[in-house]
Amino acid sequence: MQFGIFSVGDVTPDPTTGRTPTERERIKAMVAIALKAEEAGLDVFATGEHHNPPFVPSSPTTMLGHIAARTERLILSTATTLITTNDPVKIAEDFAMLQHLADGRVDLMLGRGNTAPVYPWFGQDIRQGIPLAIENYALLHRLWREEAVDWEGKFRTPLQGFTATPRPLDGVPPFVWHGSIRSPEIAEQAAYYGDGFFHNNIFWPAEHTKRMVELYRTRYAHHGHGTPEQAIVGLGGHVFMRRNAQDAVREFRPYFDVAPVYGHGPSLEDFMAQTPLTVGSPQQVIEKTLAFRDYAGDYQRQLFLVDHAGLPLKTVLEQIDLLGEEVVPVLRKEFAVGRPADVPEAPTHAARLAAARG
């Protein structure tokens, strides 16, 4: 399995001090978080894509290219690439370029985002969100696999004999995860292409996640890519840790209460009881994360959100140290126990290149 962290890149005032970081500080903090992830022995860093306050990561490939130059092993990904409002041609070229710069340490997660106004900002209609996701990815998929593409669709101008440049590294396109927390159409899309399905898993109860993952696995097998157990699944999660669980709850509560995504809603205790959010000791994080397998099966990638809601960078780096030192080593060992031999490993460029060469 791969373990890592993802950032939504929010610029949120620290509720304990009232101080709001500058955009520059937040961007630099995200880079520091990625570097710390590699230092701590994690496998993946993923950034969101947003075009509205209070978020700053509007250009993921720019950030990931910078991080690629400063890391050696870390897989660089997106926690969302907006397939609905980005031009598929630009996605194809940007991520192929990043592939070359990062020596293949690149994949991406396609999604529709959670901000309605972004659609008209980029000339699209939110009511066409699902059709846009389906058509745009159909084109992106071909652009990475065909030298000359003829294309005519509903949402962009036609293409005639178009070649996206550069071509994917070694002829192997970046691995694609289709991310969704609520849309069965996206689970079906992932299954149809034999791509990965990523369920963010930070807002919904286990029963909902189970239904979405089972749908994807069933349809993956239906489309002839393998058994349901061989489908490629990723999950999110949100944690905050201190060695003493009561200290973790006490420290995190003011941040939870004002978080831009779920603040001003249910209490911290209710949210922890009803969703995968874990605020407590490293052992509690281990136990709750291991329980994900009970309803998602054996899966390939686990990403944690650790830098949300105004948490100071120092605190976030401490969280990554705890993940690297106390949590992930145990998860690696325990998730390997009883894992069937035919369950695939997490996708990497090297493994996919070897498979392509037979």
Side-chain angles (χ1 to χ4, degrees), residues 41-83:
L42 304 185
D43 305 304
V44 184
F45 172 79
T47 172
E49 178 189 346
H50 298 277
H51 300 275
N52 57 291
F55 305 99
V56 294
S58 59
S59 182
T61 52
T62 303
M63 174 173 284
L64 295 179
H66 177 74
I67 294 169
R70 301 182 63 184
T71 55
E72 297 180 356
R73 185 186 53 81
L74 197 65
I75 295 172
L76 307 172
S77 185
T78 52
T80 306
T81 293
L82 298 176
I83 187 61

Side-chain angles (χ1 to χ4, degrees), residues 29 97 117 144 152 166 188 194 201 218 221 229 238 250 266 269 272 301 303 323 333 336 351:
M97 176 68 77
W144 277 333
E152 186 170 351
E188 169 65 24
N201 200 37
T218 299
E229 294 75 23
H238 188 180
R250 185 183 310 110
E269 285 75 15
M272 282 196 291
R301 177 174 287 185
L303 300 184
L323 282 173
K333 179 180 178 181

Side-chain angles (χ1 to χ4, degrees), residues 168-173 348-358:
L169 178 66
D170 301 319
V172 178
T348 64
H349 181 78
R352 298 178 70 231
L353 176 59
R357 292 177 174 174

Side-chain angles (χ1 to χ4, degrees), residues 49 58-59 61-62 81-83 85-98 108 110 122 136 139-140 143-144 156 159 162-166:
E49 178 189 346
S58 59
S59 182
T61 52
T62 303
T81 293
L82 298 176
I83 187 61
T85 52
N86 279 306
D87 183 352
V89 172
K90 196 70 169 76
I91 295 176
E93 296 189 333
D94 281 352
F95 281 88
M97 176 68 77
L98 183 58
L108 70 161
L110 300 178
F122 290 88
N136 283 355
L139 175 55
L140 175 61
L143 289 168
W144 277 333
R156 61 152 294 132
L159 298 173
F162 178 78
T163 300
T165 59

Side-chain angles (χ1 to χ4, degrees), residues 21-342:
T22 66
E23 290 181 326
R24 179 182 184 277
E25 287 172 332
R26 187 65 172 102
I27 291 167
K28 293 286 189 178
M30 291 176 69
V31 173
I33 289 165
L35 301 182
K36 186 68 170 181
E38 176 161 278
E39 177 189 318
L42 304 185
D43 305 304
V44 184
F45 172 79
T47 172
E49 178 189 346
H50 298 277
H51 300 275
N52 57 291
F55 305 99
V56 294
S58 59
S59 182
T61 52
T62 303
M63 174 173 284
L64 295 179
H66 177 74
I67 294 169
R70 301 182 63 184
T71 55
E72 297 180 356
R73 185 186 53 81
L74 197 65
I75 295 172
L76 307 172
S77 185
T78 52
T80 306
T81 293
L82 298 176
I83 187 61
T84 47
T85 52
N86 279 306
D87 183 352
V89 172
K90 196 70 169 76
I91 295 176
E93 296 189 333
D94 281 352
F95 281 88
M97 176 68 77
L98 183 58
Q99 253 197 325
H100 286 272
L101 291 172
D103 298 321
R105 296 182 289 124
V106 172
D107 57 37
L108 70 161
M109 187 191 308
L110 300 178
R112 292 177 292 135
N114 59 7
T115 307
V118 72
Y119 283 81
W121 294 342
F122 290 88
Q124 301 295 350
D125 182 347
I126 192 173
R127 294 170 294 183
Q128 299 296 321
I130 292 291
L132 275 163
I134 293 171
E135 179 177 302
N136 283 355
Y137 183 60
L139 175 55
L140 175 61
H141 190 268
R142 289 184 57 190
L143 289 168
W144 277 333
R145 290 164 175 82
E146 300 177 26
E147 289 287 340
V149 174
D150 294 326
W151 170 266
E152 186 170 351
K154 178 179 178 181
F155 298 109
R156 61 152 294 132
T157 54
L159 298 173
Q160 293 183 342
F162 178 78
T163 300
T165 59
R167 304 305 298 153
L169 178 66
D170 301 319
V172 178
F175 186 78
V176 170
W177 302 85
H178 299 260
S180 180
I181 58 174
R182 60 185 179 274
S183 301
E185 297 92 341
I186 302 304
E188 169 65 24
Q189 184 181 43
Y192 176 81
Y193 288 100
D195 295 334
F197 179 65
F198 191 94
H199 195 281
N200 198 348
N201 200 37
I202 65 173
F203 301 115
W204 296 80
E207 294 78 11
H208 173 81
T209 303
K210 181 180 180 180
R211 285 193 298 270
M212 291 289 287
V213 172
E214 285 184 348
L215 170 64
Y216 161 67
R217 290 187 183 277
T218 299
R219 298 300 294 171
Y220 181 95
H222 170 81
H223 290 296
H225 301 298
T227 67
E229 294 75 23
Q230 291 173 323
I232 307 298
V233 174
L235 297 179
H238 188 180
V239 300
F240 184 85
M241 294 173 285
R242 291 301 185 204
R243 286 188 168 81
N244 181 289
Q246 291 181 332
D247 291 340
V249 171
R250 185 183 310 110
E251 184 175 348
F252 187 66
R253 187 183 301 279
Y255 296 95
F256 174 88
D257 288 344
V258 301
V261 176
Y262 48 59
H264 313 288
S267 70
L268 175 58
E269 285 75 15
D270 285 344
F271 208 86
M272 282 196 291
Q274 297 173 27
T275 78
L277 171 65
T278 311
V279 180
S281 66
Q283 183 59 37
Q284 288 173 315
V285 170
I286 291 167
E287 291 171 0
K288 195 161 187 178
T289 305
L290 288 173
F292 294 173
R293 184 165 58 175
D294 295 341
Y295 55 85
D298 288 287
Y299 60 109
Q300 283 71 29
R301 177 174 287 185
Q302 175 65 57
L303 300 184
F304 295 104
L305 177 64
V306 297
D307 71 330
H308 187 221
L311 286 166
L313 177 59
K314 176 178 179 294
T315 301
V316 174
L317 299 182
E318 291 167 353
Q319 297 296 302
I320 297 172
D321 276 333
L322 287 170
L323 282 173
E325 293 168 6
E326 300 191 27
V327 174
V328 167
V330 178
L331 292 178
R332 290 193 197 279
K333 179 180 178 181
E334 293 298 322
F335 272 122
V337 174
R339 190 178 181 94
D342 61 345

